[in-house]
Amino acid sequence: MKVLVIGGGGREHAMVWKIAQSRKVRKIFCAPGNAGIGKVAECVNIKADKIHDLLNFAKFEGIDLTVVGPEAPLTLGIVDLFEKEGKKIFGVSKAAAELEGSKVFAKELMKRYNIPSAEYKVFYSPIEAENYIRMKGAPIVVKADGLAAGKGVIVAGTVEEAVDAIDLIMRRKAFGDSGSRVVIEECLKGEEASFMAFTDGETVVPMASSQDHKRVFDGDRGPNTGGMGAYSPAPVVTQQMQERVMQEIMYPAVRGMKQEGIPYRGVLYAGLMIGEDGPKVLEFNVRFGDPEAQPLLMRLEGDLVEIMLACAEKKLTPEMVGWKPEASVCVVAASKGYPGEYQKGMPIQGLDEAAKVPGAVVFHAGTADRDNRVVTNGGRVLGVTAIGADVSEAISRAYETISKIKFDGMHFRKDIGARALKRT
Ligand code: AMP
Ligand code: GLY
């Protein structure tokens, strides 16, 4: 088979790495890819949101399966477009992508199908939103309705902060049309975890649990990022908790979408807050998490291509998906200044040395080839991922590996996985 992977981050490198292990696959293309992906797949210079160009490429090359990494092409309707032309593709339809693309849609679905989540109200007018915030008091959470590159959620510790968030989102339109509606919700307490499942619209097969580290600095301080690291499994998700998440959240969500006339086929991602009264949904995503995919795919047993084809063809069975008993950890190396303004084009040293550490893989995120050298090309540059007998061994390996790598301005968190260590 010829497979086309869409995207060019750490998640997509991990997908390409896993897809390359499939016996079904003869050749992999990736659009646009990155320097690391280019070692395993042929990179194609088409951006992930150019869905018509991607279709033309897939037809021209005779691609057998297209796999979508990021949310943007999904919300633009790439799956509908490919399927109309009879091209096989793994991902959710445009209508189903609303689960991530609109917080209001997600909250209403959860309400209709009794899926546990924070109490909320939707506002179309800034004045009414501000009055509600003053009535409720802080802490309180303000969310722009639409996609906002991970920046549209403000967990406000004070009423002033929440009112400022309304001004930013609704009056100053910091996220454009994404801010024409806001969700204001109760601030939940507990420990966060990421929970994903494969589904063909009927059968729902859980993935191993994982946990992301969103803040830029150690000890969960500093601004939010796309994710500075992740590990799997997350000890907070016990076997019993996994069963509750499946029964209370994943099955009702997939069944609910079907009942709404929007079959859901692909990856369903629930960002959870696990507190005293059980798991509650913070957000749904319609794709693999990044960087959660890196440690998860390292633990996946089974043929990812077979699983993805089965999702697209409504033939998914639980036996297709297995997990290595080991733990895995991904530490992200970021550019100086990230998540703010950062520089690009810094040469990266030590990648060959790092590749020699057993049990570790350096997934590339923001990298490019320049004159036969690998240079930085994004905020998150590398996802150094390792597997080990337990989380402690995986952490040591990941940090041993990253210690061999250098680029100007490189920074990374030193405490990835620390919360799991504390629990075990
Ligand atoms: P989201 O993009 O919805 O996942 O929100 C980003 C981050 O904001 C989450 O990972 C949580 O840390 C936090 N968050 C979102 N909603 C809530 C909530 N209702 N209560 C507390 N924290 C929240
Ligand atoms: N790591 C969180 C996300 O992918 O949205």
Side-chain angles (χ1 to χ4, degrees), residues 354-380:
K356 289 180 193 150
V357 180
V361 182
V362 178
F363 292 120
H364 290 219
T367 67
D369 271 314
R370 205 177 59 193
D371 309 325
N372 282 323
R373 290 174 86 182
V374 179
V375 300
T376 67
N377 194 39
R380 291 191 289 175

PDB file of all heavy atoms in Angstrom, residues 354-380:
ATOM      1  N   ALA A 354      22.321  10.515  19.790  1.00  0.00           N
ATOM      2  CA  ALA A 354      21.052  10.250  20.469  1.00  0.00           C
ATOM      3  C   ALA A 354      20.367   9.012  19.888  1.00  0.00           C
ATOM      4  O   ALA A 354      19.734   8.236  20.611  1.00  0.00           O
ATOM      5  CB  ALA A 354      20.128  11.466  20.363  1.00  0.00           C
ATOM      6  N   ALA A 355      20.536   8.810  18.576  1.00  0.00           N
ATOM      7  CA  ALA A 355      19.870   7.683  17.911  1.00  0.00           C
ATOM      8  C   ALA A 355      20.420   6.342  18.387  1.00  0.00           C
ATOM      9  O   ALA A 355      19.801   5.301  18.179  1.00  0.00           O
ATOM     10  CB  ALA A 355      20.025   7.819  16.396  1.00  0.00           C
ATOM     11  N   LYS A 356      21.589   6.368  19.040  1.00  0.00           N
ATOM     12  CA  LYS A 356      22.216   5.106  19.477  1.00  0.00           C
ATOM     13  C   LYS A 356      21.685   4.615  20.817  1.00  0.00           C
ATOM     14  O   LYS A 356      21.974   3.491  21.211  1.00  0.00           O
ATOM     15  CB  LYS A 356      23.733   5.294  19.585  1.00  0.00           C
ATOM     16  CG  LYS A 356      24.407   5.442  18.223  1.00  0.00           C
ATOM     17  CD  LYS A 356      25.908   5.627  18.382  1.00  0.00           C
ATOM     18  CE  LYS A 356      26.537   6.082  17.072  1.00  0.00           C
ATOM     19  NZ  LYS A 356      27.720   6.909  17.297  1.00  0.00           N
ATOM     20  N   VAL A 357      20.957   5.456  21.555  1.00  0.00           N
ATOM     21  CA  VAL A 357      20.470   5.025  22.877  1.00  0.00           C
ATOM     22  C   VAL A 357      19.366   3.987  22.678  1.00  0.00           C
ATOM     23  O   VAL A 357      18.368   4.254  22.011  1.00  0.00           O
ATOM     24  CB  VAL A 357      19.927   6.232  23.688  1.00  0.00           C
ATOM     25  CG1 VAL A 357      19.435   5.755  25.062  1.00  0.00           C
ATOM     26  CG2 VAL A 357      20.990   7.305  23.822  1.00  0.00           C
ATOM     27  N   PRO A 358      19.534   2.771  23.238  1.00  0.00           N
ATOM     28  CA  PRO A 358      18.509   1.751  23.022  1.00  0.00           C
ATOM     29  C   PRO A 358      17.195   2.133  23.717  1.00  0.00           C
ATOM     30  O   PRO A 358      17.210   2.728  24.795  1.00  0.00           O
ATOM     31  CB  PRO A 358      19.105   0.488  23.669  1.00  0.00           C
ATOM     32  CG  PRO A 358      20.252   0.946  24.507  1.00  0.00           C
ATOM     33  CD  PRO A 358      20.652   2.322  24.076  1.00  0.00           C
ATOM     34  N   GLY A 359      16.079   1.815  23.062  1.00  0.00           N
ATOM     35  CA  GLY A 359      14.773   2.099  23.655  1.00  0.00           C
ATOM     36  C   GLY A 359      14.326   3.534  23.498  1.00  0.00           C
ATOM     37  O   GLY A 359      13.302   3.923  24.047  1.00  0.00           O
ATOM     38  N   ALA A 360      15.103   4.334  22.769  1.00  0.00           N
ATOM     39  CA  ALA A 360      14.715   5.735  22.595  1.00  0.00           C
ATOM     40  C   ALA A 360      14.560   6.073  21.111  1.00  0.00           C
ATOM     41  O   ALA A 360      15.258   5.501  20.271  1.00  0.00           O
ATOM     42  CB  ALA A 360      15.756   6.654  23.220  1.00  0.00           C
ATOM     43  N   VAL A 361      13.634   6.971  20.804  1.00  0.00           N
ATOM     44  CA  VAL A 361      13.473   7.479  19.441  1.00  0.00           C
ATOM     45  C   VAL A 361      13.323   8.992  19.534  1.00  0.00           C
ATOM     46  O   VAL A 361      12.573   9.495  20.372  1.00  0.00           O
ATOM     47  CB  VAL A 361      12.212   6.910  18.747  1.00  0.00           C
ATOM     48  CG1 VAL A 361      12.115   7.439  17.322  1.00  0.00           C
ATOM     49  CG2 VAL A 361      12.220   5.390  18.739  1.00  0.00           C
ATOM     50  N   VAL A 362      14.062   9.709  18.701  1.00  0.00           N
ATOM     51  CA  VAL A 362      13.928  11.163  18.668  1.00  0.00           C
ATOM     52  C   VAL A 362      12.940  11.525  17.566  1.00  0.00           C
ATOM     53  O   VAL A 362      13.276  11.457  16.380  1.00  0.00           O
ATOM     54  CB  VAL A 362      15.289  11.841  18.433  1.00  0.00           C
ATOM     55  CG1 VAL A 362      15.115  13.359  18.358  1.00  0.00           C
ATOM     56  CG2 VAL A 362      16.263  11.467  19.550  1.00  0.00           C
ATOM     57  N   PHE A 363      11.711  11.858  17.963  1.00  0.00           N
ATOM     58  CA  PHE A 363      10.735  12.292  16.968  1.00  0.00           C
ATOM     59  C   PHE A 363      10.947  13.778  16.695  1.00  0.00           C
ATOM     60  O   PHE A 363      11.089  14.573  17.618  1.00  0.00           O
ATOM     61  CB  PHE A 363       9.310  12.041  17.469  1.00  0.00           C
ATOM     62  CG  PHE A 363       8.971  10.577  17.575  1.00  0.00           C
ATOM     63  CD1 PHE A 363       8.602  10.017  18.789  1.00  0.00           C
ATOM     64  CD2 PHE A 363       9.026   9.757  16.454  1.00  0.00           C
ATOM     65  CE1 PHE A 363       8.301   8.663  18.891  1.00  0.00           C
ATOM     66  CE2 PHE A 363       8.727   8.404  16.541  1.00  0.00           C
ATOM     67  CZ  PHE A 363       8.356   7.853  17.761  1.00  0.00           C
ATOM     68  N   HIS A 364      10.955  14.133  15.410  1.00  0.00           N
ATOM     69  CA  HIS A 364      11.132  15.532  15.039  1.00  0.00           C
ATOM     70  C   HIS A 364       9.780  16.242  15.002  1.00  0.00           C
ATOM     71  O   HIS A 364       8.794  15.651  14.580  1.00  0.00           O
ATOM     72  CB  HIS A 364      11.757  15.645  13.645  1.00  0.00           C
ATOM     73  CG  HIS A 364      13.195  15.223  13.596  1.00  0.00           C
ATOM     74  ND1 HIS A 364      14.128  15.888  12.830  1.00  0.00           N
ATOM     75  CD2 HIS A 364      13.854  14.213  14.209  1.00  0.00           C
ATOM     76  CE1 HIS A 364      15.315  15.294  12.970  1.00  0.00           C
ATOM     77  NE2 HIS A 364      15.163  14.274  13.801  1.00  0.00           N
ATOM     78  N   ALA A 365       9.757  17.500  15.425  1.00  0.00           N
ATOM     79  CA  ALA A 365       8.536  18.307  15.317  1.00  0.00           C
ATOM     80  C   ALA A 365       8.846  19.475  14.382  1.00  0.00           C
ATOM     81  O   ALA A 365       8.600  19.385  13.186  1.00  0.00           O
ATOM     82  CB  ALA A 365       8.093  18.752  16.705  1.00  0.00           C
ATOM     83  N   GLY A 366       9.442  20.551  14.914  1.00  0.00           N
ATOM     84  CA  GLY A 366       9.791  21.689  14.058  1.00  0.00           C
ATOM     85  C   GLY A 366      11.239  21.604  13.629  1.00  0.00           C
ATOM     86  O   GLY A 366      12.107  22.232  14.222  1.00  0.00           O
ATOM     87  N   THR A 367      11.511  20.805  12.572  1.00  0.00           N
ATOM     88  CA  THR A 367      12.873  20.725  12.032  1.00  0.00           C
ATOM     89  C   THR A 367      12.821  20.826  10.509  1.00  0.00           C
ATOM     90  O   THR A 367      11.782  20.551   9.897  1.00  0.00           O
ATOM     91  CB  THR A 367      13.580  19.398  12.384  1.00  0.00           C
ATOM     92  OG1 THR A 367      12.908  18.322  11.705  1.00  0.00           O
ATOM     93  CG2 THR A 367      13.590  19.137  13.885  1.00  0.00           C
ATOM     94  N   ALA A 368      13.933  21.211   9.926  1.00  0.00           N
ATOM     95  CA  ALA A 368      14.036  21.248   8.465  1.00  0.00           C
ATOM     96  C   ALA A 368      15.454  20.863   8.065  1.00  0.00           C
ATOM     97  O   ALA A 368      16.368  20.936   8.888  1.00  0.00           O
ATOM     98  CB  ALA A 368      13.704  22.654   7.960  1.00  0.00           C
ATOM     99  N   ASP A 369      15.625  20.447   6.816  1.00  0.00           N
ATOM    100  CA  ASP A 369      16.946  20.174   6.264  1.00  0.00           C
ATOM    101  C   ASP A 369      17.455  21.430   5.585  1.00  0.00           C
ATOM    102  O   ASP A 369      16.736  22.043   4.787  1.00  0.00           O
ATOM    103  CB  ASP A 369      16.846  19.062   5.189  1.00  0.00           C
ATOM    104  CG  ASP A 369      16.998  17.691   5.804  1.00  0.00           C
ATOM    105  OD1 ASP A 369      17.922  17.528   6.623  1.00  0.00           O
ATOM    106  OD2 ASP A 369      16.189  16.803   5.476  1.00  0.00           O
ATOM    107  N   ARG A 370      18.694  21.831   5.928  1.00  0.00           N
ATOM    108  CA  ARG A 370      19.297  22.954   5.205  1.00  0.00           C
ATOM    109  C   ARG A 370      20.741  22.601   4.908  1.00  0.00           C
ATOM    110  O   ARG A 370      21.507  22.353   5.838  1.00  0.00           O
ATOM    111  CB  ARG A 370      19.212  24.242   6.033  1.00  0.00           C
ATOM    112  CG  ARG A 370      19.254  25.494   5.159  1.00  0.00           C
ATOM    113  CD  ARG A 370      19.103  26.755   5.965  1.00  0.00           C
ATOM    114  NE  ARG A 370      20.156  26.870   6.957  1.00  0.00           N
ATOM    115  CZ  ARG A 370      20.153  27.738   7.968  1.00  0.00           C
ATOM    116  NH1 ARG A 370      19.125  28.541   8.121  1.00  0.00           N
ATOM    117  NH2 ARG A 370      21.159  27.794   8.817  1.00  0.00           N
ATOM    118  N   ASP A 371      21.100  22.549   3.670  1.00  0.00           N
ATOM    119  CA  ASP A 371      22.456  22.180   3.246  1.00  0.00           C
ATOM    120  C   ASP A 371      22.931  20.922   3.954  1.00  0.00           C
ATOM    121  O   ASP A 371      24.025  20.900   4.546  1.00  0.00           O
ATOM    122  CB  ASP A 371      23.455  23.326   3.542  1.00  0.00           C
ATOM    123  CG  ASP A 371      22.961  24.644   2.991  1.00  0.00           C
ATOM    124  OD1 ASP A 371      22.325  24.628   1.926  1.00  0.00           O
ATOM    125  OD2 ASP A 371      23.202  25.690   3.636  1.00  0.00           O
ATOM    126  N   ASN A 372      22.093  19.889   3.950  1.00  0.00           N
ATOM    127  CA  ASN A 372      22.454  18.609   4.573  1.00  0.00           C
ATOM    128  C   ASN A 372      22.635  18.674   6.082  1.00  0.00           C
ATOM    129  O   ASN A 372      23.287  17.819   6.669  1.00  0.00           O
ATOM    130  CB  ASN A 372      23.714  18.022   3.940  1.00  0.00           C
ATOM    131  CG  ASN A 372      23.395  17.379   2.607  1.00  0.00           C
ATOM    132  OD1 ASN A 372      22.314  16.769   2.475  1.00  0.00           O
ATOM    133  ND2 ASN A 372      24.263  17.541   1.640  1.00  0.00           N
ATOM    134  N   ARG A 373      22.119  19.715   6.702  1.00  0.00           N
ATOM    135  CA  ARG A 373      22.135  19.783   8.168  1.00  0.00           C
ATOM    136  C   ARG A 373      20.697  19.931   8.639  1.00  0.00           C
ATOM    137  O   ARG A 373      19.871  20.523   7.963  1.00  0.00           O
ATOM    138  CB  ARG A 373      22.913  21.013   8.642  1.00  0.00           C
ATOM    139  CG  ARG A 373      24.395  20.910   8.401  1.00  0.00           C
ATOM    140  CD  ARG A 373      25.071  22.208   8.762  1.00  0.00           C
ATOM    141  NE  ARG A 373      25.391  22.255  10.183  1.00  0.00           N
ATOM    142  CZ  ARG A 373      25.964  23.322  10.748  1.00  0.00           C
ATOM    143  NH1 ARG A 373      26.210  24.398  10.054  1.00  0.00           N
ATOM    144  NH2 ARG A 373      26.259  23.298  12.039  1.00  0.00           N
ATOM    145  N   VAL A 374      20.458  19.373   9.841  1.00  0.00           N
ATOM    146  CA  VAL A 374      19.123  19.528  10.408  1.00  0.00           C
ATOM    147  C   VAL A 374      19.109  20.790  11.264  1.00  0.00           C
ATOM    148  O   VAL A 374      19.961  20.963  12.139  1.00  0.00           O
ATOM    149  CB  VAL A 374      18.737  18.298  11.260  1.00  0.00           C
ATOM    150  CG1 VAL A 374      17.352  18.486  11.861  1.00  0.00           C
ATOM    151  CG2 VAL A 374      18.771  17.025  10.409  1.00  0.00           C
ATOM    152  N   VAL A 375      18.147  21.675  10.979  1.00  0.00           N
ATOM    153  CA  VAL A 375      18.047  22.930  11.736  1.00  0.00           C
ATOM    154  C   VAL A 375      16.653  23.053  12.347  1.00  0.00           C
ATOM    155  O   VAL A 375      15.713  22.375  11.936  1.00  0.00           O
ATOM    156  CB  VAL A 375      18.325  24.163  10.830  1.00  0.00           C
ATOM    157  CG1 VAL A 375      19.719  24.091  10.237  1.00  0.00           C
ATOM    158  CG2 VAL A 375      17.273  24.277   9.715  1.00  0.00           C
ATOM    159  N   THR A 376      16.540  23.927  13.358  1.00  0.00           N
ATOM    160  CA  THR A 376      15.235  24.147  13.999  1.00  0.00           C
ATOM    161  C   THR A 376      14.320  24.898  13.040  1.00  0.00           C
ATOM    162  O   THR A 376      14.765  25.731  12.249  1.00  0.00           O
ATOM    163  CB  THR A 376      15.385  24.949  15.301  1.00  0.00           C
ATOM    164  OG1 THR A 376      15.828  26.273  14.984  1.00  0.00           O
ATOM    165  CG2 THR A 376      16.392  24.294  16.245  1.00  0.00           C
ATOM    166  N   ASN A 377      13.023  24.603  13.130  1.00  0.00           N
ATOM    167  CA  ASN A 377      12.071  25.235  12.206  1.00  0.00           C
ATOM    168  C   ASN A 377      10.705  25.427  12.856  1.00  0.00           C
ATOM    169  O   ASN A 377       9.693  25.489  12.180  1.00  0.00           O
ATOM    170  CB  ASN A 377      11.944  24.352  10.948  1.00  0.00           C
ATOM    171  CG  ASN A 377      11.270  25.070   9.806  1.00  0.00           C
ATOM    172  OD1 ASN A 377      11.502  26.255   9.593  1.00  0.00           O
ATOM    173  ND2 ASN A 377      10.390  24.367   9.095  1.00  0.00           N
ATOM    174  N   GLY A 378      10.681  25.453  14.198  1.00  0.00           N
ATOM    175  CA  GLY A 378       9.408  25.632  14.887  1.00  0.00           C
ATOM    176  C   GLY A 378       9.645  25.853  16.364  1.00  0.00           C
ATOM    177  O   GLY A 378      10.799  25.880  16.814  1.00  0.00           O
ATOM    178  N   GLY A 379       8.572  26.027  17.116  1.00  0.00           N
ATOM    179  CA  GLY A 379       8.661  26.256  18.559  1.00  0.00           C
ATOM    180  C   GLY A 379       9.003  24.976  19.289  1.00  0.00           C
ATOM    181  O   GLY A 379       9.956  24.894  20.065  1.00  0.00           O
ATOM    182  N   ARG A 380       8.212  23.938  19.018  1.00  0.00           N
ATOM    183  CA  ARG A 380       8.560  22.624  19.554  1.00  0.00           C
ATOM    184  C   ARG A 380       9.413  21.952  18.491  1.00  0.00           C
ATOM    185  O   ARG A 380       8.981  21.771  17.352  1.00  0.00           O
ATOM    186  CB  ARG A 380       7.294  21.819  19.833  1.00  0.00           C
ATOM    187  CG  ARG A 380       6.502  22.415  21.004  1.00  0.00           C
ATOM    188  CD  ARG A 380       5.400  21.506  21.457  1.00  0.00           C
ATOM    189  NE  ARG A 380       4.312  21.431  20.505  1.00  0.00           N
ATOM    190  CZ  ARG A 380       3.264  20.611  20.647  1.00  0.00           C
ATOM    191  NH1 ARG A 380       3.184  19.813  21.700  1.00  0.00           N
ATOM    192  NH2 ARG A 380       2.300  20.602  19.755  1.00  0.00           N
TER     193      ARG A 380
END
